[in-house]
Amino acid sequence: PPSFTSSDPTGAGAVASSLQERVLKLFDSFVRVVPGVDGGPGRQGVDFEAMKRSREFAEYVVETGRLRPASIRAEIAKMHGTAKMALFINLYNSLLLHGSVAVPPGPSDPDARGPFFSGESGVRYDIGGFELSLDDIEHGILRSSPEGDKRSFPDDDSRRAYVVEKALFDPRIHFALNCGARSCPPIKLYSADNLQQGLQAAAQAFCESEVQVNASSRTITLSRIFLWYGKDFAPTTWTLLEKLAGYAGEGSATREGLESVLAEGSEGWGEEGGGGWKVEFAPYDWSQNSI
């Protein structure tokens, strides 16, 4: 890749946005329709093999070299939380695609999943001189290095200059990060200006798709994201449901279903449900969205 010095006028946010725009164009260029089985409905998938051989992907790889200069580190350290969140959401999603193409089979293989996200497989970006994995970006930076999580940065770690302040942590990042699986949220481009609106739209779309209330069986089915990260949103299952009802759109089946549950009151509720209601978590589809 070409050498970019601190005199390069393009800052970290612009580089991340450029990478993310290229990611979206790569998806558009290599999406294919996969025929359904026995005449059933088809689905869209990405031709990762063709993408890997393409000129567009080669240009994308060169573009990632613009993340390396020391000037990028200084710029990120001075960023406000909103700009920093948008930056690292974009970089996470860009790195996820890059890693899925360059280091197959990616997270779809259970044995490869841990090394893929931890960076042991080589899926890392040099960002201002720091080698950062997907786990580093998600847990160390965007989740503000929560206490007790082994993926958090230690207090004396110089990478803490990149961490989003705890007071600014927003759990809706979980609706913006794409993990390369079919159960993951879709990829979008975020900026400091559109972050709040974008996160709210992502939260609404995800909850209306992944939260189901079945009144006849008195069962609430949630995405497994809420099993893994529910405490990021709320301290109890009941308060989590309150939060999710607020995310869902006015008049949506999800919101009306949750509001009917909440109207019965919280007495007797625990982690697995209450008041005759049971909370379940849907299986997570880790299969790659490929052809």
Side-chain angles (χ1 to χ4, degrees):
S3 174
F4 291 84
T5 67
S6 59
S7 61
D8 179 51
T10 305
V15 175
S17 294
S18 173
L19 289 172
Q20 188 70 327
E21 287 173 354
R22 288 176 182 268
V23 163
L24 294 172
K25 289 178 181 178
L26 281 166
F27 271 109
D28 287 343
S29 298
F30 294 96
V31 164
R32 307 286 186 263
V33 176
V34 182
V37 178
D38 297 329
R43 66 171 181 83
Q44 288 189 333
V46 180
D47 189 343
F48 286 104
E49 283 299 317
M51 185 187 294
K52 186 175 183 177
R53 300 190 300 269
S54 70
R55 174 182 56 83
E56 294 94 332
F57 184 70
E59 292 174 348
Y60 171 87
V61 173
V62 170
E63 184 84 351
T64 64
R66 301 174 68 189
L67 293 167
R68 298 182 185 131
S71 59
I72 293 288
R73 182 189 303 189
E75 180 186 353
I76 294 174
K78 296 177 183 177
M79 276 186 173
H80 182 267
T82 301
K84 192 178 291 186
M85 277 192 284
L87 169 78
F88 280 106
I89 289 172
N90 290 334
L91 288 176
Y92 181 99
N93 289 334
S94 298
L95 177 56
L96 188 287
L97 171 78
H98 193 164
S100 296
V101 175
V103 188
S108 61
D109 184 329
D111 293 331
R113 193 172 301 148
F116 184 86
F117 286 106
S118 71
E120 292 177 34
S121 63
V123 179
R124 296 185 299 270
Y125 274 163
D126 180 337
I127 303 175
F130 291 133
E131 292 276 340
L132 298 177
S133 68
L134 291 161
D135 276 349
D136 292 333
I137 294 174
E138 179 177 6
H139 308 291
I141 296 171
L142 289 169
R143 293 184 65 225
S144 306
S145 284
E147 292 182 14
D149 192 316
K150 64 181 181 180
R151 298 162 298 191
S152 297
F153 297 156
D155 290 341
D156 59 353
D157 193 318
S158 54
R159 294 174 298 174
R160 277 196 165 266
Y162 287 179
V163 173
V164 172
E165 296 175 41
K166 288 187 185 297
L168 298 177
F169 167 64
D170 191 326
R172 294 177 300 173
I173 61 164
H174 293 297
F175 308 130
L177 300 178
N178 183 284
C179 66
R182 291 180 190 171
S183 285
C184 285
I187 292 178
K188 298 181 180 180
L189 178 63
Y190 293 91
S191 69
D193 292 335
N194 75 12
L195 183 66
Q196 294 304 317
Q197 180 181 358
L199 290 179
Q200 179 52 42
Q204 179 176 335
F206 189 84
C207 289
E208 291 178 8
S209 171
E210 302 296 331
V211 177
Q212 308 294 329
V213 179
N214 188 321
S216 59
S217 65
R218 293 182 72 81
T219 302
I220 304 163
T221 305
L222 307 178
S223 163
R224 238 168 172 73
I225 284 178
F226 300 116
L227 174 63
W228 300 327
Y229 302 113
K231 294 296 190 293
D232 281 2
F233 293 90
T236 67
T237 299
W238 179 263
T239 52
L240 172 62
L241 297 182
E242 290 179 324
K243 181 79 73 171
L244 299 182
Y247 289 154
E250 189 77 38
S252 67
T254 297
R255 185 162 184 169
E256 291 182 351
L258 288 174
E259 287 180 340
S260 69
V261 175
L262 296 168
E264 295 182 15
S266 61
E267 185 176 352
W269 268 75
E271 291 301 302
E272 298 180 358
W277 287 93
K278 183 178 180 180
V279 176
E280 298 179 339
F281 297 94
Y284 203 80
D285 187 355
W286 279 104
S287 55
Q288 192 177 50
N289 190 25
S290 58
I291 62 172

